[in-house]
């Protein structure tokens, strides 16, 4: 395929100027570099690549329908930056891949185990039922919420029964009638 004719360009600094005068090798050519300092290393007569355009033979990483890379000011890069070895990366977005975050009922089960244990038991069982189907995390939280809720409920019942027995024993005057 033929290329369109190139516009008239100044002579190359590598060719001797017309008229037989030889310029000093220590002075820049009198007409200057037509492409500025970015054209060094380019063959004579070839234009350097413009900003945002790949050089000849280099792949373009642009997607159709999107502006060129040079026009994406203020946009976040499409990938997460790499973190040093041994550190955790950025958290995954909620709802994306792997079933999401921790089950809220599992967290509440563990909290209510210390606040009001019977509610912790109910929330723990509801959380376990949801975890079987949703794929969320939090199975250990729900299990520990159930265990602690049952322990605290048992201790509460023992305390209440002991206190009631103490009140009945203290209320009796010691006489059998």
């Amino acid at each position: 395929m033929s290329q369109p004719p190139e516009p008239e360009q100044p002579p190359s600094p590598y060719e001797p100027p017309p008229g037989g005068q030889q310029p000093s090798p220590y002075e820049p050519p009198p007409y200057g570099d037509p492409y500025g300092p970015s054209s060094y290393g380019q063959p004579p007569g070839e234009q350097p690549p413009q900003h945002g355009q790949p050089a000849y033979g280099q792949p373009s990483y642009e997607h159709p329908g999107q502006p060129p890379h040079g026009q994406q000011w203020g946009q976040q890069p499409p990938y997460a930056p790499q973190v040093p070895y041994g550190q955790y990366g950025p958290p995954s977005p909620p709802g994306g891949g792997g079933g999401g975050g921790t089950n809220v009922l599992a967290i509440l089960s563990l909290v209510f185990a210390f606040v009001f244990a019977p509610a912790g038991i109910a929330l723990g069982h509801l959380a376990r039922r949801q975890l079987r189907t949703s794929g969320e995390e939090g199975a250990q939280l729900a299990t520990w919420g159930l265990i602690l809720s049952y322990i605290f409920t048992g201790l509460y019942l023992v305390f209440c029964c002991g206190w009631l027995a103490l009140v009945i024993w203290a209320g009796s005057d010691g006489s059998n009638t």
Side-chain angles (χ1 to χ4, degrees):
M1 198 189 287
S2 67
Q3 295 182 352
E6 293 187 23
E8 188 173 320
Q9 296 181 357
S12 170
Y14 302 109
E15 297 175 7
Q21 238 182 348
Q22 189 68 19
S24 166
Y26 300 108
E27 317 182 342
Y31 44 81
D33 192 0
Y35 304 114
S38 64
S39 68
Y40 295 140
Q42 294 287 333
E46 185 175 315
Q47 291 185 350
Q50 300 296 321
H51 179 68
Q53 295 178 351
Y56 180 73
Q58 297 294 322
S60 172
Y61 296 104
E62 299 172 6
H63 298 285
Q66 290 185 349
H69 288 291
Q71 297 176 2
Q72 293 181 349
W73 295 104
Q75 292 185 359
Q76 185 175 1
Y79 56 87
Q82 296 244 338
V83 293
Y85 178 74
Q87 294 181 1
Y88 293 105
S92 60
T102 305
N103 189 304
V104 175
L105 292 179
I107 296 170
L108 289 176
S109 168
L110 188 60
V111 170
F112 274 93
F114 297 100
V115 177
F116 184 65
I121 292 172
L123 290 171
H125 283 291
L126 288 173
R128 298 274 305 247
R129 182 180 299 165
Q130 278 186 358
L131 289 171
R132 280 188 227 128
T133 59
S134 70
E136 291 177 310
E137 297 176 3
Q140 287 184 338
L141 289 175
T143 302
W144 279 106
L146 279 171
I147 291 170
L148 291 173
S149 294
Y150 276 119
I151 289 173
F152 289 142
T153 301
L155 290 174
Y156 178 71
L157 289 175
V158 168
F159 173 75
C160 286
C161 290
W163 183 77
L164 190 59
L166 182 64
V167 168
I168 293 174
W169 178 74
S172 66
D173 56 1
S175 63
N176 290 337
T177 49

